[in-house]
Amino acid sequence: MNAALPIIAASVVVALAVGVRARSGEEMSLEQWTVGGRGFGTMLVFLLMAGEIYTTFTFLGGSGWAYGKGGPAYYILCYITLAYVTSYWLLPPIWTYAKERRLFSQPDFFAAKYDSPLLGILVALVGIVALVPYMVLQLKGLGIIVATASYGVVPPWAAIWIGAATVTAYVMVSGVRGSAWTAVIKDTMILVVVLFLGIYLPLHYYGGFTAMFEAIEAAKPGFLALPDKGQSPVWFASTTLLTALGAYMWPHTFASLYTAKDAGAFRRNAVILPIYQLINLFVFLVGFAAILQVPGLKGPEVDLSLFRLAIQSFPPWFVGIIGATGVLTALVPGSMILMSGATLIANNLYRPMRPGTTNAATARLAKFVVPILALVCVGFTLQGGETIVQLLLLGYSFVTQLFPSLVTSLLLNNPLTRDGAIAGLVTGVAAVTVMTLSGATIGTLVPFLPTAFHDLNTGIVALALNLVVAGLVSALRPAPVVVR
Amino acid sequence: MVYVRWLAVLPFLGMLIGPFVFNRVTSFVFGMPLLLAWLVFWVLMTSVVMGVIYLCDPSNRTEGGGR
């Protein structure tokens, strides 16, 4: 027993209490449960959007990338910023359309825009395949954080079960309101903790930022910039762009934008969020500080650099606070993922097969699916294996394939038809699967390209194939024009 | 607004093209390696650019933001 454990336990209890209380007497209809009655103000929308972007990946992965890869980590800072730029024009029309038609989920949007229940089902399938590994990643992170911050007292499997049960409980009771209000606590804590760590650790160990970077440059020349091969500037630009386009294509992020009360919230957030996400810079500083202080972490261990350095630097009670913050970075996105996953299954897979299912019945089914989905994710997490990492890479590339047909559907005259959108999506998803599983690179796919292009992200190829097929099918098989 | 909107291209140029030019560790700017300092500068500029676009956008003048 040490001082860290009660603090971590308290954070779980507080998250559960706040999450359950967030229901605040509302009758949990489908409209309330999935999209908070479309009544969230700028502040809650801000936290939901930021809440999904600051996940365990930011906390563990951000510092881990800075520690293990150096310069390439900067792409995280850039893709989030560019995603916010696109959000200014992308989100308001999606929100307006979804409100007019009372849509609940991302597949609803595609099904309505293209007048195609089949496309809706496809989008739902893509979403679920992408969401499950994303949830597994959160649970895995949670297990690592609790095990490390409790100094090994709580084994990962116990933390994973407790975390999953907590999230399941408050998601079933409060839906998206639970996520939003727990996000308030999470973002406050992460802001304070990460700013403190990012400033204190470099000053404490090196006496200053320049001194720290000079020491790293002396030990590992060029580590703080991009390498000439592999994760080169070509890789950096293509990955940043691709990830920025995909950022809002995740089903849980997409659905959370339906919660807004007005479209102005998105435009205001697009101004503030770039500066706000500089939190990531401070996460990097922690990872950089760890390079020379806790050297020798290899492979997946690099994700522990933040906690290893914290344990070496602080008393247990403070490690507990960092652990509690880490737990919340897993629970909040986890709750969003579970809720939107359950909505996809109930509203977009079950409902189309049984036309006439009411909103009330769909809401009941969705809440019933939450614990089942949570169990599946816990199962995958405890089974472990490298396959899940493969799946996550697939997941990110999968959701990005939704981008072309989404953007064209916002144009006054959509050049893509229903058949075109379906063909493009299927092609893109198939291309991503084949390339990821075979480990192909641009160099092996199109060897005649100059070597400078070999580091292009392969997702670009899939996206290009998607667009070409969608365009060709739309041109060759003109469907009856639907004016919207 | 029509012209101001094009300012949004700048963050893309700064972050996607910039690394080809400023992919160096030294010299340190505000204590940061050159490439990191360049990208952080563009994060800050993005907020500035989006702020200008926001202020010039007529759809933000109506109460509640309109559509």
Side-chain angles (χ1 to χ4, degrees):
Chain A
M1 189 68 183
N2 60 63
L5 198 54
I7 293 174
I8 296 171
S11 76
V12 175
V13 174
V14 169
L16 181 63
V18 170
V20 169
R21 275 188 59 92
R23 176 175 184 159
S24 63
E26 291 286 351
E27 190 59 41
M28 277 292 138
S29 61
L30 191 60
E31 176 96 3
Q32 279 296 335
W33 194 72
T34 55
V35 293
R38 297 175 221 270
F40 286 7
T42 306
M43 186 66 186
L44 278 185
V45 173
F46 178 92
L47 287 168
L48 268 186
M49 295 264 150
E52 291 151 31
I53 282 169
Y54 303 123
T55 65
T56 49
F57 175 72
T58 333
F59 206 58
L60 297 180
S63 52
W65 265 61
Y67 177 95
K69 294 177 191 279
Y74 307 155
Y75 101 89
I76 300 169
L77 213 56
C78 297
Y79 95 77
I80 300 179
T81 304
L82 295 182
Y84 291 141
V85 175
T86 62
S87 78
Y88 189 95
W89 292 277
L90 195 61
L91 305 194
I94 297 177
W95 175 85
T96 307
Y97 186 82
K99 187 180 166 76
E100 281 167 4
R101 287 166 188 261
R102 310 202 78 69
L103 306 180
F104 297 112
S105 68
Q106 184 187 35
D108 282 351
F109 185 90
F110 283 86
K113 273 284 188 185
Y114 286 92
D115 195 18
S116 164
L118 175 63
L119 182 60
I121 291 173
L122 279 176
V123 172
L125 286 173
V126 167
I128 290 162
V129 172
L131 281 178
V132 168
Y134 202 23
M135 182 69 191
V136 169
L137 189 78
Q138 302 300 327
L139 290 175
K140 263 203 160 134
L142 178 86
I144 296 172
I145 289 170
V146 175
T148 316
S150 72
Y151 296 80
V153 176
V154 181
W157 62 264
I160 288 164
W161 277 110
I162 295 169
T166 308
V167 176
T168 304
Y170 79 72
V171 164
M172 287 177 77
V173 175
S174 304
V176 71
R177 285 177 187 276
S179 307
W181 285 105
T182 45
V184 175
I185 315 174
K186 185 205 73 166
D187 268 52
T188 313
M189 281 187 76
I190 199 165
L191 196 63
V192 174
V193 165
V194 168
L195 280 180
F196 170 76
L197 292 177
I199 293 169
Y200 173 81
L201 290 171
L203 292 181
H204 175 70
Y205 282 108
Y206 302 89
F209 298 105
T210 315
M212 175 174 83
F213 286 124
E214 276 170 349
I216 296 170
E217 173 67 2
K220 296 178 150 192
F223 187 70
L224 298 168
L226 301 171
D228 292 331
K229 270 197 167 184
Q231 292 178 326
S232 64
V234 171
W235 169 87
F236 186 91
S238 57
T239 303
T240 302
L241 184 63
L242 206 64
T243 327
L245 300 183
Y248 283 103
M249 297 302 116
W250 284 94
H252 58 295
T253 315
F254 201 96
S256 74
L257 74 92
Y258 294 179
T259 61
K261 197 165 49 190
D262 70 79
F266 305 123
R267 289 189 283 258
R268 282 187 285 278
N269 284 342
V271 179
I272 310 159
L273 279 164
I275 286 198
Y276 184 75
Q277 66 92 33
L278 273 180
I279 295 180
N280 285 313
L281 173 64
F282 293 86
V283 176
F284 294 162
L285 290 175
V286 178
F288 287 139
I291 292 175
L292 299 177
Q293 298 305 322
V294 281
L297 300 181
K298 289 262 180 288
E301 272 195 317
V302 297
D303 289 344
L304 287 174
S305 58
L306 185 146
F307 275 99
R308 288 283 165 81
L309 186 59
I311 286 172
Q312 179 181 313
S313 314
F314 301 111
W317 68 268
F318 193 71
V319 173
I321 289 187
I322 303 174
T325 310
V327 167
L328 291 172
T329 63
L331 294 188
V332 175
S335 67
M336 294 296 302
I337 295 169
L338 272 189
M339 198 200 63
S340 61
T343 308
L344 294 187
I345 293 170
N347 189 52
N348 299 104
L349 289 184
Y350 177 81
R351 204 173 187 175
M353 320 248 180
R354 287 266 185 122
T357 310
T358 59
N359 277 349
T362 308
R364 273 197 304 275
L365 178 64
K367 286 174 209 170
F368 177 72
V369 170
V370 171
I372 300 173
L373 191 59
L375 275 177
V376 170
C377 293
V378 169
F380 273 115
T381 314
L382 297 178
Q383 290 278 317
E386 274 302 294
T387 43
I388 205 71
V389 180
Q390 290 265 356
L391 277 177
L392 186 73
L393 289 176
L394 273 175
Y396 222 106
S397 312
F398 273 10
V399 294
T400 311
Q401 299 305 321
L402 299 172
F403 188 77
S405 50
L406 174 84
V407 170
T408 59
S409 81
L410 299 174
L411 301 173
L412 275 180
N413 292 308
N414 188 353
L416 298 185
T417 62
R418 180 192 66 192
D419 294 343
I422 291 175
L425 178 61
V426 171
T427 310
V429 165
V432 165
T433 313
V434 170
M435 287 191 295
T436 310
L437 296 184
S438 69
T441 64
I442 300 284
T444 57
L445 289 171
V446 258
F448 53 84
L449 273 182
T451 35
F453 292 99
H454 286 193
D455 298 325
L456 269 175
N457 191 310
T458 46
I460 298 271
V461 175
L463 206 56
L465 281 174
N466 176 338
L467 256 179
V468 168
V469 170
L472 278 178
V473 172
S474 300
L476 296 177
R477 289 194 55 190
V481 180
V482 187
V483 182
R484 297 178 180 276
Chain B
M1 177 56 199
V2 180
Y3 299 109
V4 173
R5 196 188 290 177
W6 287 97
L7 285 175
V9 175
L10 292 177
F12 282 87
L13 294 180
M15 290 182 171
L16 302 180
I17 310 295
F20 288 91
V21 183
F22 298 100
N23 186 22
R24 292 213 316 268
V25 177
T26 56
S27 43
F28 295 97
V29 182
F30 292 111
M32 288 180 282
L34 184 68
L35 178 62
L36 181 59
W38 170 261
L39 296 173
V40 169
F41 167 75
W42 273 105
V43 172
L44 298 175
M45 278 307 290
T46 303
S47 271
V48 173
V49 162
M50 295 316 288
V52 171
I53 290 173
Y54 183 87
L55 291 176
C56 297
D57 188 343
S59 37
N60 295 316
R61 305 242 169 86
T62 50
E63 188 55 38
R67 43 186 67 179

